[in-house]
C-alpha cells in the first residue's frame, strides 16, 4: 500500500509524444481507473510506473521516493497483464509462489502466503493445474493472486477483464472489487470500458491523446463532465453550441445554427460570447405542454422511439438538431409516439457549460 | 460435392502411393531372403544378421551418429543464441539477420560443400573432422533456427516482464522462464538438425578425411560394387530412426510445429 504520484510524466516514441506531461496522485488504498479511448496512453502510463519503459521527462514517486531509476525487479509492483502472462510450464502453485521465491522467504512462509491468496481468489484445489487447464476467469484469478501475493506497493491492471465475455466480466468486476477491498491495496486499473470504470473505481482518470482531461469520483465525472470529450466518452450527451444572445438568471437564449434555443441554465458567459452546453439524455423530461413557467422551452417533434427494456430512447428533431432523451419505462408504455410535438424540460443545474473553446 | 470429394480423395491416395511406394518396397525387401530382391517373398532377418556382422557399415553408422549428435548440439546452442540475440535487435536489422540465418536453406548443398572444400584448399589445410562438423552445422543450423524462431514468436513477451515485476533479475528470468519455455523447441530443433546431418551425403563426401566414412557414404559406395539387401536393411533402420525423430519433434512441439508450416488455424 502506498501513494503513487506522477509529476509531469512525458513519454515519446520517436517523434510521437505518447504521454504529454501528465500529473496524477493515487491515494493510498484506492482503486483508480485510467479510462480513455484506445491509443491514448493508458498502457504506456502503467508500463512507466512498472518500470518497463523509461520516461523522457517527469518523475514517478512511490511513497515519496523517486523510482525513475529503480529497476523493474526492485520496484515491488504487482502487474496483471492483459494476456495474464502466466508461466505456461509452471503449475498454479508455482506461478503464485514465483515472486515469493525471488524474495528468498522460508518455505513455510511461502506455503502459508500462497495458500492464503489462493483462498482469497477462490482457487483452492487448483494448485497442481497448469495454466492451460484453467478457464479464462480462473487464469485471470491466478494472475491476480500472483501479483497480490508479493504484497506490492501498487497493483497495476491492464484491461485485465476485457478478454472475458460479458457475463463473466461483470462477475469478475464484483469479485475484483471484493479481493482488492479485502487486501486494502492501492490499485491502478486501465480500461476503455466506461461501465467498468464507473462501477469499479474510487476515482476515474479520463485520458485523451496523452493528457489527463478530468479526474474525479465516478459520479462527479459523469454528472459534471468538463468538456465535450468527457461528456461523450463517458455516457451519452446532447450538445448545444452557439452564441449567447440573451440571458437572465434562469434562461439563456442561444443562437445556434439550428435557430434560437432557449436553455434553462445559468451561465458565467456573457451575452455575445460563444459557448457549448451539454445535457445527458436521461436528464431531459418530455412534456406534452410547456411546463417551464419562467420562459419557453425547446420544442421538437419525436422522430424515433427506441425501446430498450428498462428505458425508452426518444430522438427528437428540434429545428434540425437531433436531441436524444431517455425515460424510464416505469409505467410500461410509451409516453410519446413518433410525430408527437414535445417540450424538453430539465432542472437548470443539469445543463452544463463545457470548457471547450467554441468558434463564433 | 460428393463427386469432387471422391476425386480429391483419389488424388491424395495417388500422391501418397507415388511418394511412398519405393520406400515401402525397400523396407519390405529388407525382409526378403532373396539376394536379388526376387519373388516369391520369403521372410527372413538374414540381411539384418549380416548387417550386424558388417563392421564397416557399423563403424560408418557410429561415425554418422556421433557427427550428427555433435552437429545437433552445436546447432541448438547456436540457434538459441542467434534467435535470442536477434530478438534484441530492432526493425530492419532484425529482419535481415533472420533472413541470413535461414539463407543456407536456399543454397544447394553441393555448392556449400564445394565452397568449403575450396576454402580448405585455399587456406592450405588438410581435410579433417572439424570441417566435416562445420559443414554439417552450416546446413543443419537453419532447421534448428526455424523451430526456435517459431517458438520465440509464439512466446508472450509479457512472460519475461511478469517475471521481472515479480522480482526476478535478468539472469533468473532467463533461467526460470525463457529457457524452460524454449526448451521443447531446443530439443525438437536438435532432433531435426540431427536428422539432416545424419542423412547428409553430399557434404560428407566432399569434406571427409580419407579413411573415415559415414553411413550415407558407405551406402553409396557399396551400391557401386553391387547392391546387397543389407543396404535395404540399413536403410530401413535409418527410416525408422528418422520417423522416431520426427515423432519426437511432433510430440514435443505440439501445436507450435503447425505454425511453422503456415498459420492456418488462428
Ligand atoms: N513500443 C512502442 N513503440 C512505438 N509506439 C508505441 C509503442 N507502444 C505504444 N506506442 C504508441 O503509443 C500510443 C499509446 O499506446 P498505449 O499506451 O498502448 O495506448 P492505450 O493503452 O491507451 O490503448 C499509441 O499511439 C501507440 O501506437
Ligand atoms: Mg492498452
Amino acid at each position: 500500500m502506498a501513494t503513487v504520484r506522477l509529476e509531469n510524466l512525458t513519454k515519446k516514441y520517436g517523434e510521437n509524444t505518447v504521454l504529454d506531461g501528465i500529473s496524477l496522485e493515487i491515494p493510498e488504498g484506492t482503486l483508480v481507473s485510467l479510462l480513455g479511448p484506445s491509443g491514448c496512453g493508458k498502457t504506456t502510463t502503467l508500463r512507466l510506473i512498472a518500470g518497463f519503459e523509461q520516461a523522457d521527462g517527469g518523475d514517478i514517486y512511490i511513497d515519496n521516493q523517486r523510482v525513475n531509476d529503480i529497476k523493474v525487479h526492485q520496484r515491488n509492483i504487482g502487474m496483471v497483464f492483459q494476456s495474464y502472462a502466466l508461466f505456461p510450464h509452471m503449475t498454479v502453485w508455482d506461478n503464485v509462489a514465483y515472486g515469493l521465491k525471488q524474495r528468498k522467504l522460508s518455505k513455510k512462509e511461502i506455503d502459508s502466503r500462497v495458500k492464503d491468496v489462493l483462498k482469497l481468489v477462490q482457487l483452492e484445489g487448483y494448485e497442481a493445474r497448469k495454466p492451460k487447464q484453467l478457464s479464462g476467469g480462473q487464469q485471470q484469478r491466478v494472475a491476480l493472486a500472483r501479483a497480490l501475493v508479493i504484497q506490492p506497493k501498487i497493483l497495476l491492471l491492464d484491461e485485465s477483464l476485457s478478454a472475458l465475455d460479458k457475463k463473466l466480466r461483470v462477475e469478475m468486476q464484483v469479485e475484483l472489487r471484493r479481493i482488492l477491498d479485502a487486501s486494502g491495496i492501492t490499485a491502478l486499473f486501465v480500461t476503455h470500458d466506461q461501465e467498468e470504470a464507473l462501477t469499479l473505481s474510487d476515482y476515474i482518470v479520463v485520458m485523451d491523446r496523452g493528457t489527463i482531461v478530468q479526474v474525479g469520483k465516478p459520479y462527479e465525472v459523469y454528472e459534471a463532465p468538463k468538456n465535450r470529450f468527457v461528456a461523450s466518452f463517458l455516457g451519452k450527451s446532447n450538445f448545444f453550441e452557439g452564441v449567447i444572445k440573451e440571458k437572465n438568471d434562469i434562461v439563456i437564449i442561444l443562437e445556434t445554427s439550428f435557430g434560437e434555443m432557449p436553455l434553462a441554465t445559468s451561465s458565467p458567459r456573457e451575452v455575445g460570447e460563444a459557448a457549448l452546453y451539454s445535457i445527458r439524455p436521461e436528464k431531459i423530461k418530455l412534456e406534452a405542454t410547456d411546463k417551464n413557467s419562467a420562459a419557453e422551452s425547446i420544442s421538437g417533434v419525436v422522430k424515433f422511439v427506441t425501446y430498450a427494456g428498462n428505458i425508452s430512447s426518444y430522438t427528437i428533431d428540434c429545428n434540425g438538431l437531433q436531441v436524444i432523451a431517455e425515460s424510464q419505462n416505469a409505467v410500461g408504455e410509451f409516453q410519446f409516439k413518433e410525430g408527437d410535438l414535445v417540450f424538453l424540460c430539465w432542472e437548470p443545474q443539469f445543463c452544463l457549460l463545457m470548457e471547450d473553446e467554441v468558434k463564433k | 460435392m460428393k463427386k469432387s470429394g471422391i476425386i480429391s480423395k483419389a488424388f491424395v491416395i495417388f500422391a501418397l502411393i507415388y511418394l511412398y511406394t519405393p520406400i515401402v518396397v525397400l523396407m519390405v525387401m529388407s525382409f526378403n531372403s532373396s539376394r536379388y530382391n526376387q519373388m516369391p517373398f520369403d521372410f527372413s532377418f538374414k540381411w539384418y544378421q549380416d548387417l550386424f556382422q558388417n563392421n564397416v557399415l557399423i563403424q560408418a553408422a557410429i561415425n554418422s551418429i556421433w557427427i550428427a549428435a555433435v552437429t545437433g548440439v552445436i546447432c541448438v546452442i547456436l540457434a538459441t543464441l542467434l534467435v535470442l540475440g536477434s530478438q534484441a535487435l530492432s526493425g530492419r536489422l532484425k529482419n535481415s539477420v533472420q533472413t541470413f540465418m535461414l539463407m543456407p536453406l536456399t543454397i544447394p548443398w553441393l555448392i556449400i560443400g564445394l565452397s568449403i572444400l575450396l576454402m580448405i584448399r585455399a587456406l592450405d589445410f588438410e581435410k579433417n573432422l572439424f570441417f566435416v562438423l562445420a559443414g554439417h552445422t552450416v546446413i543443419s543450423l537453419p532447421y534448428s533456427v526455424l523451430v526456435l524462431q517459431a517458438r520465440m514468436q509464439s512466446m508472450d513477451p509479457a512472460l519475461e516482464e511478469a517475471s521481472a515485476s515479480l522480482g526476478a533479475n535478468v539472469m533468473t528470468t532467463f533461467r526460470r522462464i525463457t529457457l524452460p519455455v524454449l526448451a521443447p523447441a531446443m530439443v525438437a530443433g536438435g532432433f531435426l538438425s540431427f536428422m539432416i546431418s545424419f542423412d547428409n551425403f553430399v557434404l560428407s563426401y566432399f569434406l571427409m578425411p580419407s579413411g573415415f566414412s559415414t553411413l550415407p557414404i558407405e551406402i553409396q559406395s557399396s551400391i557401386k560394387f553391387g547392391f546387397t539387401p543389407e543396404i535395404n536393411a540399413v536403410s530401413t533402420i535409418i527410416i525408422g530412426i528418422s520417423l522416431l525423430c520426427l515423432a519426437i519433434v511432433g510430440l514435443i512441439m505440439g501445436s507450435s510445429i503447425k505454425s511453422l508450416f503456415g498459420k492456418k488455424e488462428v
Side-chain angles (χ1 to χ4, degrees), chain A residues 4-11 17-26 34 40-49 55-61 188 190 205-215:
Chain A
V4 175
R5 207 166 75 244
L6 312 179
E7 280 180 8
N8 230 343
L9 205 56
T10 301
K11 176 74 191 170
T17 303
V18 173
L19 287 182
D20 196 2
I22 63 168
S23 297
L24 178 67
E25 181 156 344
I26 301 168
L34 285 184
C40 71
K42 306 180 297 286
T43 299
T44 305
T45 308
L46 282 201
R47 295 178 60 82
L48 282 167
I49 297 174
D56 293 309
D59 302 301
I60 303 166
Y61 294 90
L188 184 58
V190 160
V205 178
V206 185
M207 290 184 67
D208 181 27
R209 285 169 293 171
T211 57
I212 292 177
V213 187
Q214 190 169 2
V215 181

Side-chain angles (χ1 to χ4, degrees), chain B residues 94-123:
Chain B
K94 180 173 173 173
N95 284 342
S96 47
V97 167
Q98 289 183 343
T99 311
F100 273 112
M101 286 193 290
L102 300 179
M103 196 85 105
L105 280 179
T106 61
I107 304 173
W109 289 346
L110 200 68
I111 307 235
I112 294 178
L114 198 62
S115 58
I116 296 177
L117 193 61
L118 283 175
M119 188 190 73
I120 296 173
R121 291 275 154 77
L123 296 176

Side-chain angles (χ1 to χ4, degrees), chain A residues 77-131:
Chain A
I77 278 169
M79 177 113 182
V80 179
F81 292 84
Q82 190 164 1
S83 62
Y84 309 146
L86 298 179
F87 306 133
H89 56 295
M90 293 187 192
T91 60
V92 167
W93 181 277
D94 288 333
N95 264 283
V96 177
Y98 187 85
L100 298 177
K101 285 181 184 157
Q102 306 311 318
R103 282 161 180 73
K104 308 257 183 310
L105 299 182
S106 71
K107 186 163 182 325
K108 216 176 119 214
E109 171 88 13
I110 292 177
D111 283 356
S112 90
R113 274 167 72 171
V114 173
K115 227 172 135 193
D116 287 348
V117 80
L118 286 178
K119 190 171 169 196
L120 181 68
V121 300
Q122 298 178 335
L123 275 179
E124 294 153 297
Y126 292 88
E127 291 85 356
R129 298 235 193 146
K130 290 276 180 71

Side-chain angles (χ1 to χ4, degrees), chain A residues 83-210:
Chain A
S83 62
Y84 309 146
L86 298 179
F87 306 133
H89 56 295
M90 293 187 192
T91 60
V92 167
W93 181 277
D94 288 333
N95 264 283
V96 177
Y98 187 85
L100 298 177
K101 285 181 184 157
Q102 306 311 318
R103 282 161 180 73
K104 308 257 183 310
L105 299 182
S106 71
K107 186 163 182 325
K108 216 176 119 214
E109 171 88 13
I110 292 177
D111 283 356
S112 90
R113 274 167 72 171
V114 173
K115 227 172 135 193
D116 287 348
V117 80
L118 286 178
K119 190 171 169 196
L120 181 68
V121 300
Q122 298 178 335
L123 275 179
E124 294 153 297
Y126 292 88
E127 291 85 356
R129 298 235 193 146
K130 290 276 180 71
K132 254 191 207 158
Q133 298 166 301
L134 300 174
S135 71
Q138 289 167 339
Q139 291 181 8
Q140 154 82 53
R141 278 181 281 165
V142 176
L144 190 59
R146 187 178 68 177
L148 279 175
V149 78
I150 61 171
Q151 298 175 348
K153 293 204 170 131
I154 180 169
L155 182 67
L156 306 172
L157 303 106
D158 191 359
E159 312 239 357
S160 299
L161 303 180
S162 60
L164 306 175
D165 61 46
K166 173 88 181 165
K167 188 163 170 289
L168 194 57
R169 192 160 71 231
V170 174
E171 277 172 31
M172 275 308 294
Q173 283 170 13
V174 177
E175 187 68 9
L176 188 64
R177 190 71 235 202
R178 176 185 70 75
I179 292 167
L180 294 183
D181 283 347
S183 47
I185 201 163
T186 311
L188 184 58
F189 183 91
V190 160
T191 180
H192 63 258
D193 180 343
Q194 40 143 329
E195 224 173 288
E196 202 162 277
L198 286 172
T199 53
L200 210 55
S201 22
D202 297 314
Y203 295 93
I204 292 181
V205 178
V206 185
M207 290 184 67
D208 181 27
R209 285 169 293 171

